[in-house]
Amino acid sequence: MAIAKQLMGFSSFVSASSKVFLHNKHGIFWVNPILLPLENTRLRMGAKFPVAAISEDLIKTTLTVHAKKPLQFKVRAVVTVRNKIKEDFKETMLKHLDAINDSIGTRNVVLELISTEIDPKTKSPKKSSKAALMDWSKKSNVKAERVNYTTEFIVDSNFGVPGAITVTNKHQREFFLESITIEGFVSGAVHFPCKSWVQGERIFFSNKTYLPGDTPAGLRVLREKELINLRGDGKGVRTLSDRIYDFDTYNDLGNPDEGVELTRPTLGGSQNHPYPRRCRTGRAPTDTDMHAESRVEMPLPMYVPRDEQFDESKLNTFVIKRLKAVVHNLIPGLKASLSANNHDFNRFSDIDDLYSDGLPLQDEILKKIPLLQVLTKIQECSQGLLKYDTPKIISKDKFAWLRDDEFARQAIAGVNPVNIEGLKVFPPVSKLDPEIYGHQDSALKEEHILGQLNGMTVQQAIVENKLFMVNYHDVYVPFLDGINALDGRKSYATRTIFFLTPLGTLKPIAIELSLGPSSGWKRVVTPPVDATTNWKWQLAKAHVCANDAGVHQLVNHWLRTHACMEPFILSAHRQLSAMHPVFKLLDPHMRYTLDINALARQKLINADGIIESCFTPGRYCMEISCGAYKNGWSFDMEGLPADLMRRGMAVPDPTQPNGVKLLIEDYPYATDGLLIWSAIENWVRTYVNHYYRHASLICNDKELQAWYSESINVGHADLRHQRCWPTLNNSEDLVSILTTLIWTVSAQHAAINFGQYPYGGYVPNRPPLMRRLIPFPEDEAEYANFLADPQKYFLNALPSVLQATKYMSIVDILSTHSSDEEYLGERRHSSIWSGDADITEAFCSFSAEIRRIEKEIERRNLDPSLRNRCGAGVLPYELLAPTSRPGVTCRGIPNSVST
């Protein structure tokens, strides 16, 4: 009776399967109750139903059995699978075959739970029974985006907490597993974030976070095994279904088998051409060069690990934009192929027509081909399919781009606001080696700018931080002789001097133009005083914009936010377990980057690709990017405050929230950027301090240290001995490194990417390519043409119609947000992201801060005292406004580099 009285303190209930759940301080177990006839049962007053009675003998027997053999109970799994929106014929057939297989009882999708605990008898993790998904065949035709399947596991009462689950897909067709939720454990539901394509056997871990040293015994071997699988062995050709993350050099940009003119140097692995590493594909070498990897051309896909490939909605956005680009380039391409002449814009109205009617079909050249009637019909039926969207730069003021104040405003609030720097020495000094390039003394003199300084001397203006410069001299000089020898390419190396007016706006006061080392030609152009000098000034500004477009695309956009981040992503997958807190933090900031970078290698930055075709440097484009990596990229300067101070745009000030004071108060990129930087930094600091309460935890975290070390020593092997790498010894080191990475792939990328079509879609505002130098009297023939028709001369110096429309199409694609974009401060499926309530709460605070910043940006854009973002015809600065609708919006900060 003592035992029976003691058990009166237990809580008990009857489950749906008529089992009694017993609980006391020693544990939890199930027993099968005995249903006694109603007349033999003591009932509470008014009871009219049978109840479960437990005899003392039963209790004694049950406890004895329990001591010898664990009891078993059922738990339920809810498996969420995401369907494809569209299926091809092969996929549909395989789906039906798989459904037939399931309907006859074949166990094709099988799951097994793995405990965090080790079985003392087997010395291996405890496992549940294997369970097949129910109703797979019945739900095979469900059209919903997401479909839930269920199954049940039988586990022992001493199973412990599930920490992993294996999923085996024996179907012929892969499926996208979004998540698994296990219900029935007393500790509550257990979530498994999967977000992965499954074919064969896979293992997934719960959303519980563990540092390597805290990994439960049952998961240690699995944790290391999964990382080994992701690293691969560095051998063989990768197939599209692989999930292998490995490093290689950029040895696949050229196509020597197609001709010597398409050979390109390997970037990475040498002193002459250092470069970050990219994802290894393992393709065979070309026939003519054993060191060059053979190419895969569209429409065949380039390898990236399976889970890095675009989701269907993202891919559909790209496909639609590509189709639109093909149609847009159809007419210019046909005209170029049918005529030896390079067709130019001859009037500004020719450019305007692109946005109102599209390119005209009734052309003398096109009339020669039978396709004309077809094309005309397409145009009639498509409601302006050949028409381009009006770029934002001309939507408020068609002639804003002609003004000097707008030219200067875009240096701090346009698509490339990261090259302007404080002028500390006048005239500027080159850092190029004189033994290689000769003495590169500047042609700028005080008399060129003295009359533009509001009565100041040059030295006074420098001391009072009134002079600024956009300097492309050293970037371009090493390549100018080669560029200007190319057919239809002409370039200067430019320096542009700006003066900060009392109104807080900039005005350009001088442009220095330099040709290659072989000529030594230099000249300074100053603001116009008459009609002739006005056109020369417009041409000089156009050459500055072409320099700017090249550095923006090749250095600030591609190199700094795409290529330099790829090694950190590859190493994160190779060295950080999915259970690691740093991997969980970085995960949304790595989405799609490997795929967009692979597409760039395939179509954009390759030999004779879109970048070489559309930008002035031509075949030297990637060598310019390589030179910038060698001479200018430094990880410790990629954070916003450090970058602003490096460029002399800010000075240290401990009284300011970010520790810096801006020298141009109305610098929209910097003022908005510092708000975003601070929010990211505070969120990261809260996150890091939660998991790393002592510096020793960081030093002893083998996965963390391996990730950072591999990112540097393998991913950035050519710069591994530089002093640009912060140490990783304490929490502040880690906060700084992670904040820099997250800032770079989110806000920094957004600031220099999503304005490309809004600003560059009107080619005269931002020509990516120039085909004529500025005419001077010593060249009599050119100068006569210029004087006869300066407008035509200016337009003919810009890209041809085909070059312009090709460029417009690609920046339209790059500027587009897809419908599945995840923006800064957002995490979809929050229930499966973090198993830690404190971290979830901290992230909610971060999200709220991002929303507050968005409102502050909206307020600033309505403040008439901020003339660089508010005024008649002035575009508001929204490139760092966090959210956006789909499409080309000139705003929105996605979590990752995905375009």
Side-chain angles (χ1 to χ4, degrees), residues 607-627:
D608 202 32
I610 292 173
I611 298 298
E612 287 192 2
S613 300
C614 297
F615 288 80
T616 304
R619 63 175 295 132
Y620 300 101
C621 278
M622 290 307 293
E623 291 187 63
I624 286 178
S625 178
C626 183

Side-chain angles (χ1 to χ4, degrees), residues 55 84 233 264 291 345 390 421 515 535 549 655 673 723 798-799:
S55 69
K84 294 190 76 171
D233 58 7
R264 295 293 181 269
H291 301 291
F345 298 110
T390 302
E421 58 188 75
L515 288 177
W535 279 107
T655 66
R723 296 181 179 180
L798 301 182

Side-chain angles (χ1 to χ4, degrees), residues 6-69:
Q6 184 179 349
L7 285 172
M8 293 299 290
F10 281 81
S11 60
S12 63
F13 61 89
V14 179
S15 73
S17 57
S18 299
K19 292 184 178 180
V20 175
F21 171 74
L22 301 178
H23 177 277
N24 72 355
K25 63 181 180 179
H26 302 295
I28 307 164
F29 57 93
W30 295 84
V31 296
N32 286 312
I34 299 173
L35 287 179
L36 301 180
L38 183 61
E39 59 270 23
N40 296 331
T41 308
R42 290 191 202 176
L43 299 177
R44 293 190 180 187
M45 189 65 68
K48 302 295 183 182
F49 50 84
V51 298
I54 303 174
S55 69
E56 186 174 343
D57 290 340
L58 172 62
I59 292 170
K60 289 179 180 179
T61 303
T62 301
L63 291 179
T64 301
V65 172
H66 177 68
K68 293 180 180 179
K69 183 179 180 181

Side-chain angles (χ1 to χ4, degrees), residues 115-118 210-221 223 579:
S115 174
T116 57
E117 298 177 7
I118 292 289
Y210 298 105
L211 293 175
D214 298 331
T215 309
L219 303 180
R220 288 173 192 163
V221 173
R223 182 173 187 150
M579 292 185 282

Side-chain angles (χ1 to χ4, degrees), residues 343-364:
H343 294 275
D344 302 325
F345 298 110
N346 293 312
R347 302 174 305 277
F348 280 102
S349 59
D350 293 344
I351 302 175
D352 296 339
D353 288 344
L354 296 176
Y355 315 111
S356 56
D357 304 316
L359 288 165
L361 293 172
Q362 303 302 325
D363 185 277
E364 290 302 317

Side-chain angles (χ1 to χ4, degrees), residues 287-355:
D287 294 333
T288 54
D289 184 351
M290 289 297 295
H291 301 291
E293 189 173 86
S294 57
R295 290 189 51 76
V296 173
E297 304 294 354
M298 286 185 171
L300 296 176
M302 187 91 82
Y303 169 77
V304 293
R306 183 64 181 99
D307 291 338
E308 306 304 317
Q309 296 168 25
F310 285 166
D311 283 349
E312 198 171 2
S313 57
K314 175 76 171 179
L315 188 60
N316 286 343
T317 300
F318 260 69
V319 169
I320 292 169
K321 284 287 185 178
R322 278 188 205 146
L323 178 61
K324 187 177 179 182
V326 168
V327 174
H328 276 156
N329 293 320
L330 185 61
I331 304 303
L334 282 171
K335 291 171 73 174
S337 64
L338 293 170
S339 171
N341 297 324
N342 211 339
H343 294 275
D344 302 325
F345 298 110
N346 293 312
R347 302 174 305 277
F348 280 102
S349 59
D350 293 344
I351 302 175
D352 296 339
D353 288 344
L354 296 176
Y355 315 111

